[in-house]
Amino acid sequence: MTLAISRLSRASDKDAPRVACNRLLAAMISGRATYDDFVDIKSHRFTPKLIKIFQGR
C-alpha cells in the first residue's frame, strides 16, 4: 500500500506515509473526508475522491 500511496502523493517511498497522513488529516479536519472514506481506505478501495485527497488537490 505504501507504494500506491507514494505514487499517488508523488512523494518518495520514505516520505509517503507522512505525506499521506498529513493530507488525510487535513481532509478530515476540513470535512472533506468522511467515515465512508476511512472504510474505503481500510478496504483498499481508492475512490476518485481519495485519490484527489492523496494527491493534495
Side-chain angles (χ1 to χ4, degrees):
M1 187 158 126
T2 303
L3 180 61
I5 291 174
S6 67
R7 287 185 179 165
L8 286 175
S9 63
R10 296 188 179 119
S12 67
D13 290 341
K14 177 183 171 189
D15 294 333
R18 179 184 52 81
V19 170
C21 185
N22 286 341
R23 289 180 180 172
L24 188 59
L25 184 60
M28 185 177 67
I29 291 170
S30 70
R32 290 185 330 161
T34 62
Y35 176 76
D36 291 335
D37 296 323
F38 287 102
V39 171
D40 288 338
I41 291 171
K42 181 101 171 133
S43 301
H44 298 273
R45 286 184 299 230
F46 291 100
T47 63
K49 181 180 176 183
L50 287 173
I51 291 171
K52 287 181 183 178
I53 288 172
F54 286 127
Q55 287 177 338
R57 298 191 286 152

